[in-house]
Amino acid sequence: MTSSSAGPVHLAVYDTFADWETGYATAHLTQNGYTVRTVGLSREPVTTMGGLRVQPDLALDELRPQDSALLILTGAAGWDTGETLAPFARAARTFLDAGVPVAAICGATAGLAREGLLDDRAHTSAVSFYLAATGYAGGERYVEVDAVTDPGADGTGRLITAGPTEPVAFAREVFGLLGVYDAKKLDAWYRLFHDSDASAYEVLQGE
């Protein structure tokens, strides 16, 4: 089991956040010694897209990059219906500028695009034209893959992006970035949960 000395992983939560998109990541981070803390716009409860009620552990204005190993942003209706979630995109900028990684999936990628965070970074999303509709300048850096990690540069943090149908690939990138599994076990984990390859289970068990 791996444990983290870099602080907890922070999961952003807001009304209609797509709870299935980070289930693999948060469950297996917790099983490997990480603490996952939820952060909302305030400490008021939110309701996920699946109808679950979540009480945030802290408010966004209490979150500091130096206290975190990673900020995870999920999809939600609010990314495409106004500026309600824009503070989370600005928080992502603060994290990346501080050298702390960010992982965004689904609609959160559009929020980062509007913030200008994808203009100079390799990234992906649901489809390229979804991000193009934001008017961002990073179309040439779009990659047609399930999930991608941009390594960052000049002291900026690494950035993971993925489309809404790729929660397993998204989790794989998170685990790789944080060093949760070595390369052999990471590949086995992905084969088990993405491809239902039963033989990968033995690798994960260390056999």
Side-chain angles (χ1 to χ4, degrees):
M1 177 174 290
T2 302
S3 62
S4 170
S5 60
V9 170
H10 287 92
L11 170 66
V13 295
Y14 20 76
D15 284 329
T16 76
F17 92 82
D19 35 15
W20 71 90
E21 291 177 345
T22 60
Y24 287 99
T26 56
H28 290 271
L29 285 171
T30 299
Q31 290 175 21
N32 282 278
Y34 283 79
T35 297
V36 177
R37 301 193 70 199
T38 53
V39 54
L41 285 170
S42 70
R43 289 188 178 229
E44 292 299 310
V46 300
T47 303
T48 75
M49 199 172 288
L52 303 180
R53 196 166 171 82
V54 177
Q55 177 77 53
D57 293 313
L58 70 162
L60 186 58
D61 62 8
E62 301 173 85
L63 179 63
R64 302 187 306 168
Q66 60 265 39
D67 297 330
S68 183
L70 173 71
L71 174 63
I72 300 176
L73 304 174
T74 73
W79 288 113
D80 298 314
T81 57
E83 296 296 314
T84 303
L85 300 183
F88 285 102
R90 291 194 290 270
R93 176 180 292 280
T94 300
F95 266 61
L96 293 171
D97 287 348
V100 181
V102 172
I105 186 171
C106 189
T109 62
L112 299 191
R114 294 186 184 94
E115 182 65 19
L117 296 175
L118 304 185
D119 290 350
D120 301 310
R121 293 178 172 89
H123 61 277
T124 194
S125 185
V127 287
S128 59
F129 57 78
Y130 170 64
L131 292 186
T134 68
Y136 85 131
E140 292 185 355
R141 302 299 305 275
Y142 189 90
V143 186
E144 293 284 358
V145 293
D146 295 341
V148 63
T149 300
D150 182 87
D154 299 325
T156 62
R158 291 168 289 174
L159 175 64
I160 294 169
T161 49
T165 61
E166 300 298 338
V168 178
F170 182 68
R172 178 197 62 203
E173 297 299 305
V174 168
F175 302 154
L177 184 150
L178 295 177
V180 175
Y181 299 113
D182 62 31
K184 183 178 180 180
K185 286 192 174 182
L186 183 62
D187 174 71
W189 184 92
Y190 183 74
R191 287 189 289 110
L192 178 62
F193 288 97
H194 187 267
D195 303 326
S196 298
D197 182 351
S199 68
Y201 181 78
E202 294 182 358
V203 178
L204 281 174
Q205 296 304 303
E207 298 178 4

